[in-house]
Amino acid sequence: MIVGEALWVSTGVVALAEMGDKTQLLALLLAARFRRPWPIVAGIVAATVVNHALAGAVGAWLASAVSPAVLRWGLGLSFLAMAGWMLIPDKVDEDEVRIPPRWGVFGATLVAFFLAEMADKTQIATVALTIHYAAPVLVVAGTTLGMLLADVPAVFVGDRLARRIPMKVVHAIAAAVFAVLGVVTLLGVGERLGF
């Protein structure tokens, strides 16, 4: 594996996958509701680090507990499923940010983001990328960075930026990346190239 590939691929894939994703929409909603960007950003960072660290741990455990042949097929099919999932638009409900006001902006963001990210595309991608690269720390750092690249601007510039980005094109690119990862994994090309 090229040093840093796990970090940069994880960052790029998740940044693309996050565009128009439920948690990016949640960031827009939280910014509109609370109008306090820094506690929202802090809540996003904390929730993402914890959520993706858990996903990375699950990926590392699966990599050690499952035979390589089963792992390759499962991982390849998971990447292909992620490619299809990328083409389905996400929505966020107002109910997802109904957090007790006593928790404050940071607490509301932390809880809302953590819950929204459970079994979400980016969490599942973190598990799959951790298995693929066998570098949990780099993958978690990359997926966290990817989330922040997509969600933090949404907090500051909000809806104005979201309307200018062609989400269908971004989702198609992310789907293509996941599809390529799936095919490469299923064919075992990475093993033959020394990745």
Side-chain angles (χ1 to χ4, degrees):
M1 172 177 61
I2 299 169
V3 177
E5 181 182 344
L7 175 70
W8 299 118
V9 169
S10 298
T11 300
V13 166
V14 169
L16 285 172
E18 187 63 13
M19 298 304 288
D21 187 70
K22 182 165 73 169
T23 46
Q24 188 185 47
L25 299 173
L26 181 60
L28 290 168
L29 198 66
L30 288 164
R33 172 173 285 176
F34 294 120
R35 300 193 188 285
R36 295 192 47 217
W38 291 112
I40 293 169
V41 169
I44 290 170
V45 170
T48 302
V49 166
V50 171
N51 195 289
H52 288 209
L54 290 171
V58 168
W61 175 78
L62 285 171
S64 68
V66 178
S67 75
V70 170
L71 201 55
R72 186 176 101 203
W73 281 97
L75 182 58
L77 294 173
S78 295
F79 280 138
L80 292 175
M82 288 294 298
W85 194 3
M86 282 307 310
L87 301 174
I88 301 169
D90 276 340
K91 296 178 183 116
V92 67
D93 296 323
E94 279 279 334
D95 295 338
E96 292 191 54
V97 287
R98 292 188 195 268
I99 306 294
R102 68 181 179 277
W103 290 8
V105 176
F106 172 80
T109 304
L110 176 74
V111 171
F113 250 79
F114 184 82
L115 294 175
E117 211 26 41
M118 294 303 289
D120 191 47
K121 292 176 197 133
T122 49
Q123 186 185 43
I124 293 170
T126 302
V127 171
L129 289 164
T130 298
I131 293 168
H132 182 73
Y133 285 109
V137 172
L138 290 174
V139 169
V140 169
T143 59
T144 299
L145 181 59
M147 285 279 292
L148 297 178
L149 287 172
D151 293 341
V152 170
V155 172
F156 288 102
V157 295
D159 203 36
R160 293 179 302 246
L161 178 64
R163 279 187 256 148
R164 292 186 181 169
I165 297 173
M167 292 302 172
K168 286 184 180 182
V169 172
V170 171
H171 286 176
I173 292 169
V177 170
F178 277 118
V180 167
L181 284 170
V183 170
V184 165
T185 300
L186 288 172
L187 295 175
V189 173
E191 293 170 16
R192 289 193 289 270
L193 296 176
F195 296 136

